[in-house]
Amino acid sequence: MSYITLVRHGQANTTARDETSYDRLSDLGHQQSRWLGGHLRDTHAHYPRVFCGTLNRHTETASSMGLPSPILDKRLNEIEYFTLAQLFHEQHGVPIPTDREGFVEHLPQTFGAWANGDIANAPETFDQFETRVSDALREIGTEGGPAIVVTSGGLISMAVRQAMGLDIPSMARVALAIMNTSLHRLHPIGAQLSPVLFNAVPHLEAPDRHFAQTHL
């Protein structure tokens, strides 16, 4: 049976406040990725097709996992959250969070404003993001054997939204839950791709690796 496995990148630069500074893995992010790659090899996971976004944190994750050279596709890139947050602040006075608690409140607010078209001059509209995700996953499809896709949490939450018909607040909750280097699997059931695995981190379940179960 062919399927698509989505992987969120390893932990990135957690102190960043802009897109460029965020777009590199931390030392822990590289270690998480190595552990995931080792788990896939130890369990003889078979992925004849490998895809990856074009961001540094995507390609660094794929490299540290030891994956074969991936097909790069910019449609698999993350939304520009830092840019959206800055525009949201400038246009509506909503402060940019500096800790996880603030981020938990800020993300659904930002997603809602973005989806409603209330953030002017965004790098892309919410509809454009939704379309590129559905187009990319449809083209990757399930023909040719299982595919593994290294990407980001926002894109994975959109894939789950499309598969499950989630509203924006629910999509935001999904995004907040996604851990670094977690696995998410979409299986074809009838004519649709349906999620059969969400946020799995088998490579981080050993007690001495629990510290590496990170969200940011």
Side-chain angles (χ1 to χ4, degrees):
M1 177 74 71
S2 293
Y3 50 84
I4 298 172
T5 298
L6 302 169
V7 178
R8 186 190 175 196
H9 61 79
Q11 184 191 64
N13 177 17
T14 58
T15 63
R17 292 295 178 265
D18 60 77
E19 304 294 341
T20 301
S21 299
Y22 182 69
D23 194 27
R24 64 176 185 272
L25 293 192
S26 67
D27 290 343
L28 178 58
H30 281 289
Q31 181 62 71
Q32 291 165 330
S33 304
R34 288 191 291 270
W35 279 332
L36 176 55
H39 169 78
L40 295 179
R41 289 188 292 276
D42 290 345
T43 56
H44 304 286
H46 177 58
Y47 291 104
R49 301 183 298 136
V50 181
F51 298 84
C52 186
T54 64
L55 298 175
N56 290 332
R57 58 190 183 272
H58 299 157
T59 57
E60 288 179 353
T61 298
S63 177
S64 288
M65 286 174 65
L67 293 175
S69 296
I71 296 171
L72 301 179
D73 189 337
K74 65 181 181 181
R75 295 175 301 176
L76 300 170
N77 288 353
E78 181 63 294
I79 62 173
E80 293 189 27
Y81 185 77
F82 288 105
T83 302
L84 288 171
Q86 184 62 42
L87 291 170
F88 199 23
H89 174 64
E90 293 171 358
Q91 297 171 19
H92 299 281
V94 177
I96 299 172
T98 57
D99 54 28
R100 176 166 172 76
E101 289 70 26
F103 186 69
V104 167
E105 295 183 4
H106 188 266
L107 185 66
Q109 281 184 293
T110 305
F111 274 12
W114 184 34
N116 290 332
D118 294 333
I119 300 178
N121 302 315
E124 63 182 332
T125 67
F126 186 87
D127 288 345
Q128 287 169 335
F129 175 53
E130 190 162 32
T131 297
R132 71 170 163 93
V133 173
S134 61
D135 286 350
L137 293 181
R138 184 176 61 252
E139 289 183 24
I140 291 170
T142 56
E143 298 296 326
I148 191 166
V149 177
V150 180
T151 182
S152 289
L155 186 139
I156 294 169
S157 71
M158 174 57 80
V160 175
R161 163 183 160 84
Q162 292 172 348
M164 301 299 292
L166 301 181
D167 60 17
I168 301 300
S170 298
M171 176 188 166
R173 288 196 297 274
V174 166
L176 288 166
I178 294 172
M179 288 185 280
N180 295 113
T181 62
S182 52
L183 300 167
H184 313 257
R185 186 160 297 147
L186 300 172
H187 249 288
I189 299 178
Q192 304 295 324
L193 286 171
S194 297
V196 297
L197 183 72
F198 175 75
N199 217 24
V201 285
H203 56 300
L204 303 177
E205 294 292 2
D208 62 344
R209 296 183 184 179
H210 284 180
F211 75 94
Q213 295 182 8
T214 59
H215 295 84
L216 295 175

